[in-house]
Amino acid sequence: MAQCDVCGKDENMPYNCRHCGGTHCADHRLPENHNCSGLENWNDPGGVFGSGFDESVQSGSSGTSKSVSSRVLDALPIDTGPGGPLAYFRGNMTYTVLLLMWVTFILQWLSILFGGVLGIPNLHRMLFVLTPQNPEYVWTWVTSIFAHDPEWIFHIVFNSIVIFFFGPIVERYVGSKKFAILFVVSGALAGLSQIAVQIGQGFAQIPGVGGVVGASGAALAIMGVVTVLNPKLRVYLMFMIPMPIWVLTAGIALISIFFVGTGGGGTIAHAAHLVGLLIGLGYGEYVKRTQNVRTPNQLQLGGGPGGPGGPGGPGGRRRF
């Protein structure tokens, strides 16, 4: 037996939406009846207006079947049901990730403002920056993905744009749970690869130097998946310059390879960019071989100096 994500009704024969991953009763099984994120792709004739549902019963050990983001929101002490302030994020991991990024951005500023008051001037670095001096701070493997350079708001803006456009496409075809795993794993491995380079450069022996923050590794992994699934997908760089996505991806890859090979690139985390992109390309090939997927033919993509991750940050901290 499972509960409907919208009304909470217990169902012996639940409907599982392939577009948003949610579980619904007969009254809310249609996309328009549960605010399905797949409605954004209504121009895709093979998308929302297909059956779009797996009508088999899927139940875990607890007897329920819910999307990852729905279960997370259920645990919050806030009304996340229909009409609640967080209802839009149910069954939608992409926007849950974006929300966490901006909440983390606020928490970063709070740690900076109150770190000195608490007598911990490096509180922000301890909590949110993955550093070559302290790679054993395992929480920063994750927090650094959602954290961004607090002194350059366009860093988080550029990454949000990439995730906003490409994330729903990937989540739609791999599901919320696998999307979340891809995001965290690719982001963590991208960050660890960057500090491995910094350790090789001797940064580990210099207190307060080096480190990495940002979601570009995960964002480029998402873009890599889309590139494999539909290399001819038209995107608009800076909302103005049309090009197939493979050209944009190839350009980012070549730039990253060049700077990683030459040891240059200033404070931009090119190693993180490259690793994230390679993970996405590899996972995209796996999805392509194991699933029959269809993607839209056109998207708009914003960007900025230094690629989707933005330009390098000051003080030896690298953004990615």
Side-chain angles (χ1 to χ4, degrees), residues 5 22 29 59 130:
D5 286 353
R29 68 186 182 91
S59 61
L130 177 57

Side-chain angles (χ1 to χ4, degrees), residues 129-158:
V129 183
L130 177 57
T131 68
Q133 294 84 14
N134 299 106
E136 73 277 9
Y137 290 177
V138 292
W139 59 88
T140 62
W141 297 10
V142 177
T143 58
S144 64
I145 304 170
F146 296 94
H148 290 77
D149 189 340
E151 299 176 3
W152 183 252
I153 192 172
F154 290 107
H155 184 209
I156 188 173
V157 169
F158 294 146

Side-chain angles (χ1 to χ4, degrees), residues 254-298:
L254 290 175
I255 291 172
S256 299
I257 291 172
F258 173 78
F259 284 114
V260 170
T262 59
T267 56
I268 300 175
H270 289 290
H273 287 191
L274 184 60
V275 169
L277 186 58
L278 290 176
I279 291 173
L281 293 172
Y283 185 65
E285 185 62 31
Y286 169 78
V287 172
K288 184 177 181 179
R289 290 175 180 271
T290 57
Q291 300 181 32
N292 182 23
V293 298
R294 298 177 63 184
T295 57
N297 295 318
Q298 181 171 301

Side-chain angles (χ1 to χ4, degrees), residues 20-141:
C20 67
T23 299
H24 309 287
C25 64
D27 294 334
H28 297 104
R29 68 186 182 91
L30 297 178
E32 58 268 27
N33 289 342
H34 63 259
N35 196 27
C36 181
S37 59
L39 287 174
E40 296 177 0
N41 301 308
W42 63 274
N43 280 322
D44 180 3
V48 171
F49 298 111
S51 65
F53 298 91
D54 179 1
E55 300 185 3
S56 61
V57 177
Q58 297 181 5
S59 61
S61 58
S62 62
T64 61
S65 175
K66 289 187 177 182
S67 67
V68 176
S69 58
S70 293
R71 291 197 295 270
V72 170
L73 291 173
D74 280 340
L76 296 177
I78 305 175
D79 178 14
T80 61
L86 297 181
Y88 186 71
F89 297 93
R90 295 186 66 88
N92 194 330
M93 184 55 67
T94 299
Y95 297 121
T96 301
V97 163
L98 289 171
L99 175 64
L100 290 174
M101 284 169 51
W102 284 93
V103 169
T104 302
F105 191 71
I106 295 173
L107 293 176
Q108 287 181 260
W109 269 109
L110 291 176
S111 70
I112 294 172
L113 294 174
F114 291 102
V117 175
L118 297 173
I120 313 174
N122 62 338
L123 180 62
H124 173 263
R125 188 173 175 86
M126 290 173 57
L127 294 178
F128 299 107
V129 183
L130 177 57
T131 68
Q133 294 84 14
N134 299 106
E136 73 277 9
Y137 290 177
V138 292
W139 59 88
T140 62
W141 297 10

